[in-house]
């Protein structure tokens, strides 16, 4: 199988950050069958100029959408235009060491049929992919965890292009948080494992919301709503009935924190929207769901 890679990046107020990181991507991709697709959800920012200054026109595709459909929809739109065997979803605030893409391509060639979680160094730690958590349902997986990740993190994830499309990509209603965990749970329940790659990329971690109080409120809304939507969409009924009281307790504890942060109102609005939209979200995924057998197998490090 001929391995070719498209780097898929969703941009939102990213021009300054991309001006720092994109040159490292270009250096890392030198001599490799790597192309680029940029889904720009804030075209007025000037990212198009940054991209044009770093890449030849025949090596990338730029897809602007001033309506800002969100990270999940941006990824789906970009992957739909990819013509390569694999895609690397990469956040614009991630730097690539010179040998990173060569190591990623070599890992893809070893086992082309499965997703790969690439490590990220952020918030003072190192993380590789998605892990389950008994309170919050899912978290970034610490690199020290011995079992394989549940699935890749959206910040640095390799997917066979056909596999990503076959599972419908990311659930677009999640907008900008939890969409990678949603896909990870669906993939694992369907028997698709994820490989952790021993490559750790420096990650700034959340550049698009820094310094904007209005976006902090929207983020609090998403954190509350999307966790409930992911549970509703991906868990079997027996596991969901057990998980809901635990999630309810976690949200009560989180409410106190959000109140101290001045974000209680958007948080409660997110909880209400998650409870209201949960049944419809569940109906939108008709494939296999994550149940107790998957949970036990995952905790023991066995494949689905």
């Amino acid at each position: 199988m001929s391995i070719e890679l498209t780097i898929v990046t969703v941009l939102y107020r990213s021009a300054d950050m991309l001006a720092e990181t994109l040159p490292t991507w270009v250096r890392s991709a030198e001599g490799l069958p790597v192309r680029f697709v940029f889904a720009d959800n804030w075209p007025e920012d000037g990212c198009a100029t940054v991209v044009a200054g770093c890449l030849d026109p025949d090596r990338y595709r730029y897809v602007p959408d001033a309506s800002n459909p969100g990270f999940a929809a941006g990824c789906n739109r970009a992957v739909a235009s990819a013509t390569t065997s694999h895609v690397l979803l990469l956040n614009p605030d991630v730097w690539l060491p010179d040998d990173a893409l060569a190591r990623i391509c070599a890992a893809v060639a070893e086992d082309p049929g499965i997703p790969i979680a690439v490590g990220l160094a952020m918030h003072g730690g190192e993380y590789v992919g998605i892990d389950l958590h008994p309170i919050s349902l899912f978290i970034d997986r610490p690199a020290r965890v011995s079992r394989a990740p549940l699935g890749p993190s959206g910040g640095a994830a390799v997917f066979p292009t056909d596999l990503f499309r076959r599972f419908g990509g990311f659930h677009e209603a999640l907008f900008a948080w939890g969409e990678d965990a949603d896909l990870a749970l669906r993939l694992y329940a369907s028997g698709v494992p994820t490989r952790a790659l021993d490559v750790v990329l420096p990650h700034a971690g959340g550049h698009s919301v820094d310094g904007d109080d209005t976006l902090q409120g929207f983020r609090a809304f998403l954190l509350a709503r999307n966790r409930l939507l992911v549970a509703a969409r991906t868990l079997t009924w027996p596991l969901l009935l057990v998980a809901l009281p635990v999630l309810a307790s976690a949200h009560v504890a989180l409410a106190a924190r959000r109140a101290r942060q001045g974000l209680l109102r958007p948080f409660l609005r997110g909880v209400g929207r998650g409870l209201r939209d949960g049944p419809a979200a569940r109906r939108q995924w008709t494939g296999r769901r994550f149940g107790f057998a998957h949970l036990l197998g995952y905790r023991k490090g066995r494949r689905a």
Side-chain angles (χ1 to χ4, degrees):
M1 179 181 182
S2 176
I3 302 299
E4 294 180 326
L5 190 68
T6 294
I7 295 179
V8 166
T9 301
V10 178
L11 305 170
Y12 180 76
R13 306 194 321 171
S14 303
D16 291 342
M17 182 60 69
L18 191 66
E20 293 185 30
T21 58
L22 184 54
T24 72
W25 303 5
V26 175
R27 288 195 299 270
S28 189
E30 186 174 352
L32 296 173
V34 175
R35 300 184 61 80
F36 302 82
V37 178
F38 300 91
D40 193 348
N41 290 344
W42 191 263
E44 64 194 67
D45 191 40
C47 283
T49 302
V50 175
V51 172
C54 292
L55 290 165
D56 294 332
D58 61 351
R59 200 171 185 190
Y60 74 89
R61 180 177 174 85
Y62 175 77
V63 187
D65 189 341
S67 70
N68 186 19
F71 174 81
C75 279
N76 291 347
R77 187 170 71 252
V79 173
S81 70
T83 58
T84 54
S85 63
H86 291 74
V87 291
L88 166 61
L89 311 185
L90 191 65
N91 278 1
D93 54 353
V94 174
W95 290 261
L96 289 181
D98 288 352
D99 66 342
L101 288 177
R103 295 175 65 184
I104 289 171
C105 288
V108 170
E110 290 177 11
D111 198 343
I114 67 171
I116 295 175
V118 184
L120 294 170
M122 55 185 180
H123 311 308
E126 295 183 353
Y127 304 89
V128 187
I130 302 295
D131 196 10
L132 293 177
H133 190 272
I135 302 300
S136 63
L137 186 60
F138 52 85
I139 58 170
D140 293 316
R141 171 186 170 273
R144 65 179 181 274
V145 173
S146 59
R147 62 178 172 271
L150 183 71
S153 163
V158 179
F159 291 97
T161 306
D162 289 344
L163 178 71
F164 187 88
R165 293 171 178 164
R166 190 165 72 247
F167 275 79
F170 291 141
H171 182 48
E172 295 186 5
L174 297 174
F175 193 82
W177 189 75
E179 63 287 309
D180 48 4
D182 173 273
L183 180 56
L185 285 159
R186 292 187 285 125
L187 287 168
Y188 190 92
S190 299
V192 179
T194 293
R195 174 184 175 185
L197 185 62
D198 187 21
V199 172
V200 179
L201 310 175
H203 180 26
H207 75 286
S208 62
V209 299
D210 287 346
D212 191 321
D213 292 340
T214 61
L215 288 178
Q216 292 295 340
F218 185 48
R219 184 173 183 270
F221 168 84
L222 291 177
L223 293 177
R225 184 197 66 164
N226 290 8
R227 187 178 290 112
L228 296 174
L229 293 185
V230 170
R233 278 173 50 81
T234 62
L235 303 185
T236 62
W237 274 118
L239 185 54
L240 183 61
L241 292 174
V242 171
L244 280 178
V246 178
L247 289 175
S249 299
H251 279 80
V252 170
L254 282 170
R257 181 188 301 176
R258 297 303 181 214
R260 292 193 299 270
Q261 296 170 336
L263 298 171
L264 181 60
R265 183 173 295 179
F267 175 81
L268 293 178
R269 192 166 66 249
V271 172
R273 185 69 64 83
L275 293 173
R276 190 192 76 179
D277 294 349
R282 186 172 184 83
R283 291 192 295 270
Q284 290 167 349
W285 172 246
T286 58
R288 295 188 63 183
R289 292 191 167 93
F290 191 90
F292 280 108
H294 301 111
L295 175 61
L296 293 174
Y298 177 71
R299 299 297 297 179
K300 292 179 180 180
R302 296 198 301 263
R303 288 192 173 191

